[in-house]
Amino acid sequence: MASTDGVDTTRGGAGGLRRDPTRSVAIAMIVLSVLWRAQIASRGYLGADDYVLITQSTESDLTPGFLLTLYNNHFMPGGRLLTWLITDSFGLTYWPYVLLMAAGQAVLAVAFYRLLRTLLRPSRLILVPLGMFLFSPLTLEATSWWAVGANMLPMQLAMVLALGAQLKYVRTGRKRHLLSLALSVLLGLLFFEKTLLVVPLVFLFTVCFFTDGGPVRAVLTALRRWWPSWLTLTALVGAFASVYLVRSESSLRRPESPGELLSFLTELFGSTLVPGLLGGPWGWLGAGDGAPVVAPPELGRWIAWAVFAALVVLTIRRDRTASRAWVLLGCYLILVAALLGATRLGSVFSAIAGGVPRYVSDVVVVAAICVGVALVGIARPAPAGDAPRPASRAPRPASRSPRPASRSPRPPRAVAVVRTKAPTGPGAEHRPDPSRPDLLGPVPERYREVVTSGLLVLVVVAMFGTVWTTSRYSDEWALKYGRSYLDTARIELASAPPGTVFFDTPVPDGVVPSLSWPYNLQSRFFAAVGARPEFVHETENASVLDGLGRIQVATIQGSSIRPGPQEGCGYLVAAGQTVRMPLATPRDDWFWIVRIGYLSSADGTAVLRLGKGSHTFPVKKGLNQRFFEISGGGDAVELTVTGTDMTLCTNEISIGNPTPKPE
């Protein structure tokens, strides 16, 4: 049964699945990929940016201002909305994000399979691009790390839906598909501004697959024939730019040298993209609580490139129209590389930018489609009563087609996929039966058995390579310092005795990087946690959470005063006097914690000065200590004591940051 939009459908139910084994295998592949990746995601936990997004959701009401606030210059109101809803309902927990990413992957997988069935000729070979998309290691971050999945899954879905809508508009000319096209792109833009790349992708898709002639003629044909699509997309981009640009800061950077740019491109294409499309990179380099970066073996890189080059040559020799698929992929890669080079180079992270899979996870969608077109070919819809003029001037099927010559009218508004045995389009002499494309068309008959065996071996090797790569990623993703730190801290805080207080200091860099300040402070990090530390600005006895999340007695690590001149006292400070005490190493002008240990003859008050900063604190009779915050800097401190007939001895003044006291 044919849909009104040219989608080749089959009867539903168990009988339909039995009559269409390709669909059955595709469904099994989708289910397997979703379950497998959900299991991988569940082994890990939140990481880095996730904590910041959750903290911001905890501290904010659900308002338009909050949703439209950029995060690291990213426009993601959709991601902020989902994070806020989960945080408000469940607090700081992980399983809702795993469930949400799995659901998003399932929807995306079904949409991608439907696009392949609509775009390509009927063939079991469509399982190749489907498998490439479902199991590519390049998309593992998008299905396991919430901060990435909240951006990339909607963008990938927007790409698939937008291409499907444009395909239907090209084939039917119905204006309702323009609305679907606009809504698809808008969906992606609400989660990630990089979705703007979908606009040139739709244009390239149309030019490469639905026009004839050279580049200039093809572009002009696409502009003239489907101008409503470009007008719709231009209006949408203009509206989005008016919202995004007034809120964003320029992220453009300039590479420091041509060598930096060359190294980036070599790493991006040579180590990440091509090996990733063929089951690599086979090795990973851990990156803390974030996703690992690629670390492929040198031999694997060269083999991946050799296989990829052979695939391109073989498909072009078999059908020259496949060259348009590779042109589309190449053009999109240029767009992605230009965007990454302009925004990721010239920074502290430029050395590893080319090895980050999430930067090219959107390319997997385009690559899988192009591989499908190169292997199978594009389905040519039969003309319908109200169908528009065909997009391509390929020869009509020969009159010898087994279809009866009856001219009985077809139902209006119906477009069916042609299933004739007659060839159409350039290169069709290599493919006498479109329903069963001959992949080995250019291979002489006497070599086909050997080549077929070699291809089967390559497919099996790629499958095992994908399993190996994914398993190694899963092992790296399961190592979550933040989860261990948070679990331990929760237990410790719940059982801490009354009066346990802390200064508001950063969590370890391995949990939330210092670049995320002030959201790496403990007060922000624990905002969504049930058991929260009690923070103070001054206390006699301070505690601190160590690097493992355990509560420890605090001391100060930093700069201390030099030993005083008085034997058994250090520095002797009498009432009304000010004594200057030099520091062993100067302190920069910053926010510091001070610890002073002293012996006082009576109660009173003291003032400690550090550069332009000062702090007044109470003094108690006897041997005591005091912790307090101060803002200042310099190479010495000054201590003034006020009280009645009071003297104070101290040889212990430290200025720095809280740290566990050595046992």
Side-chain angles (χ1 to χ4, degrees):
M1 180 178 181
S3 75
T4 59
D5 294 328
V7 182
D8 180 40
T9 61
T10 59
R11 294 180 179 88
L17 294 179
R18 286 193 296 268
R19 284 187 290 272
D20 190 354
T22 301
R23 177 186 292 251
S24 302
V25 175
I27 292 174
M29 292 170 62
I30 291 172
V31 172
L32 175 62
S33 68
V34 172
L35 294 179
W36 190 14
R37 295 203 168 195
Q39 185 269 337
I40 293 172
S42 65
R43 293 188 66 193
Y45 197 67
L46 303 166
D49 295 320
D50 296 335
Y51 294 118
V52 179
L53 290 169
I54 291 172
T55 296
Q56 292 177 349
S57 299
T58 303
E59 298 176 347
S60 304
D61 294 326
L62 188 59
T63 63
F66 165 72
L67 296 178
L68 297 178
T69 299
L70 303 188
Y71 176 71
N72 286 346
N73 220 31
H74 293 313
F75 184 79
M76 47 182 301
R80 282 191 175 276
L81 174 61
L82 294 176
T83 305
W84 191 95
L85 293 174
I86 292 175
T87 303
D88 184 65
S89 301
F90 304 101
L92 186 60
T93 189
Y94 183 51
W95 67 264
Y97 299 105
V98 174
L99 185 62
L100 206 56
M101 288 186 289
Q105 184 194 359
V107 173
L108 174 60
V110 172
F112 185 77
Y113 174 65
R114 287 175 58 84
L115 175 62
L116 293 181
R117 290 294 295 255
T118 306
L119 175 66
L120 305 180
R121 287 189 174 99
S123 170
R124 295 177 182 177
L125 287 178
I126 70 170
L127 297 176
V128 175
L130 179 64
M132 176 184 293
F133 174 73
L134 292 178
F135 299 102
S136 173
L138 296 178
T139 60
L140 283 168
E141 288 178 84
T143 56
S144 57
W145 189 358
W146 171 245
V148 178
N151 292 151
M152 289 310 309
L153 286 175
M155 178 185 173
Q156 291 176 322
L157 182 60
M159 297 171 73
V160 173
L161 295 179
L163 293 177
Q166 177 67 6
L167 171 63
K168 294 174 183 177
Y169 176 66
V170 166
R171 287 180 173 175
T172 68
R174 297 191 178 101
K175 296 299 188 289
R176 62 186 176 92
H177 297 308
L178 294 177
L179 177 61
S180 299
L181 175 63
L183 292 178
S184 299
V185 177
L186 179 61
L187 169 67
L189 290 175
L190 290 176
F191 287 85
F192 197 16
E193 72 282 352
K194 190 181 178 183
T195 304
L196 288 172
L197 290 182
V198 175
V199 175
L201 173 62
V202 170
F203 183 76
L204 291 169
F205 176 79
T206 307
V207 169
C208 290
F209 293 158
F210 302 104
T211 62
D212 291 323
V216 175
R217 177 184 173 186
V219 169
L220 293 177
T221 299
L223 289 173
R224 181 183 70 254
R225 190 170 295 174
W226 297 290
W227 63 265
S229 291
W230 322 135
L231 181 62
T232 300
L233 293 176
T234 300
L236 180 60
V237 170
F240 174 79
S242 65
V243 176
Y244 175 69
L245 294 179
V246 297
R247 289 172 167 78
S248 67
E249 300 177 0
S250 177
S251 298
L252 297 180
R253 296 184 177 94
R254 181 177 298 176
E256 296 180 354
S257 66
E260 181 188 20
L261 179 60
L262 180 61
S263 176
F264 163 73
L265 294 176
T266 302
E267 184 78 8
L268 183 69
F269 296 128
S271 298
T272 303
L273 183 62
V274 173
L277 293 176
L278 298 174
W282 309 288
W284 300 96
L285 182 63
D289 272 12
V293 296
V294 301
E298 190 68 17
L299 179 61
R301 293 174 65 248
W302 287 108
I303 292 177
W305 269 98
V307 172
F308 184 76
L311 176 64
V312 173
V313 172
L314 181 63
T315 53
I316 291 177
R317 289 194 60 187
R318 166 179 167 266
D319 186 347
R320 293 190 180 277
T321 57
S323 61
R324 290 199 167 208
W326 302 121
V327 169
L328 169 59
L329 178 59
C331 290
Y332 189 76
L333 288 178
I334 292 174
L335 292 175
V336 172
L339 177 63
L340 292 174
T343 57
R344 290 294 179 265
L345 299 186
S347 69
V348 295
F349 300 110
S350 60
I352 63 170
V356 180
R358 65 178 176 273
Y359 291 161
V360 290
S361 57
D362 54 308
V363 177
V364 177
V365 176
V366 183
I369 292 173
C370 292
V371 168
V373 172
L375 290 178
V376 180
I378 298 177
R380 301 293 180 181
D386 62 344
R389 177 180 168 186
S392 174
R393 297 183 180 179
R396 293 181 179 179
S399 59
R400 292 172 296 175
S401 169
R403 185 184 300 274
S406 171
R407 295 184 176 272
S408 58
R410 297 183 180 182
R413 303 173 63 85
V415 179
V417 175
V418 172
R419 295 179 178 272
T420 67
K421 293 186 178 180
T424 60
E429 64 276 7
H430 297 308
R431 193 165 53 244
D433 184 358
S435 66
R436 295 182 180 274
D438 185 5
L439 182 60
L440 305 178
V443 179
E445 187 68 32
R446 62 180 179 276
Y447 298 129
R448 288 197 172 193
E449 184 175 349
V450 175
V451 173
T452 301
S453 300
L455 290 177
L456 290 176
V457 170
L458 286 176
V459 170
V460 172
V461 170
M463 291 173 59
F464 276 101
T466 301
V467 172
W468 173 266
T469 300
T470 304
S471 299
R472 298 289 73 76
Y473 176 92
S474 179
D475 293 339
E476 291 287 345
W477 182 246
L479 302 175
K480 283 290 173 283
Y481 178 27
R483 172 175 54 194
S484 176
Y485 175 85
L486 183 59
D487 290 345
T488 302
R490 278 172 163 161
I491 296 172
E492 291 276 307
L493 292 172
S495 58
T500 303
V501 295
F502 304 82
F503 287 99
D504 190 9
T505 56
V507 298
D509 257 14
V511 179
V512 180
S514 57
L515 291 175
S516 298
W517 189 90
Y519 295 102
N520 65 329
L521 294 175
Q522 291 179 1
S523 60
R524 319 296 284 269
F525 178 78
F526 288 101
V529 180
R532 297 179 57 185
E534 181 182 348
F535 298 105
V536 296
H537 301 286
E538 182 175 353
T539 183
E540 291 184 356
N541 297 290
S543 298
V544 64
L545 291 170
D546 66 11
L548 300 178
R550 300 173 302 184
I551 297 178
Q552 305 278 9
V553 176
T555 188
I556 299 300
Q557 182 180 36
S559 181
S560 301
I561 59 174
R562 298 182 184 276
Q566 299 291 330
E567 184 72 24
C569 178
Y571 293 93
L572 178 63
V573 186
Q577 292 183 342
T578 298
V579 177
R580 187 176 187 273
M581 308 172 191
L583 293 170
T585 55
R587 294 276 82 180
D588 294 332
D589 195 358
W590 191 244
F591 299 96
W592 303 108
I593 306 297
V594 176
R595 176 191 175 272
I596 176 172
Y598 62 87
L599 176 63
S600 177
S601 62
D603 294 343
T605 304
V607 179
L608 185 139
R609 297 178 181 85
L610 176 65
K612 297 180 180 179
S614 64
H615 182 81
T616 302
F617 61 95
V619 174
K620 292 184 178 182
K621 181 179 178 180
L623 184 63
N624 295 283
Q625 66 175 358
R626 197 76 179 177
F627 294 84
F628 53 83
E629 297 174 345
I630 195 169
S631 177
D635 58 1
V637 298
E638 294 180 349
L639 185 63
T640 303
V641 174
T642 60
T644 305
D645 298 328
M646 184 182 74
T647 58
L648 181 148
C649 289
T650 182
N651 214 23
E652 298 181 6
I653 298 180
S654 299
I655 301 172
N657 297 308
T659 188
K661 185 178 181 179
E663 298 180 358

